Amino acid sequence: MSEFKHYSTQTVRNLIEDTESTLSQLKAEMQRREEAEQEIQIEGLENHMKSAEFSLRSIREFLAFLVEEYRKEK
């Protein structure tokens, strides 16, 4: 930290501005990545739900078939 003693006030201000700008850019990039990851997770969840709905529909159809076959036998 002592190396900053030798910098002019304007140089220190410029360094602060550059650092704040870089930090803003990094925060924006982090936000973009987090949103992209959420989109991927949402897509996966949507696909999982579609699969679960299909499975449930298949089970219902199978149970309906079994009930119908059982009634035919009586």
Side-chain angles (χ1 to χ4, degrees), residues 22-73:
T22 300
L23 181 59
S24 292
Q25 292 172 8
L26 287 169
K27 285 180 177 181
E29 177 62 18
M30 181 61 74
Q31 181 72 26
R32 184 195 67 75
R33 289 180 185 197
E34 287 172 347
E35 289 172 2
E37 179 63 29
Q38 287 175 353
E39 289 295 322
I40 291 169
Q41 290 177 359
I42 288 170
E43 246 180 62
L45 182 59
E46 287 173 353
N47 290 337
H48 175 73
M49 291 302 292
K50 286 178 186 176
S51 175
E53 288 173 6
F54 175 75
S55 295
L56 184 58
R57 190 176 326 116
S58 297
I59 291 169
R60 285 181 181 156
E61 290 171 358
F62 179 68
L63 290 175
F65 171 78
L66 290 177
V67 169
E68 187 177 319
E69 290 296 312
Y70 177 76
R71 287 182 182 159
K72 285 180 184 178
E73 290 178 5

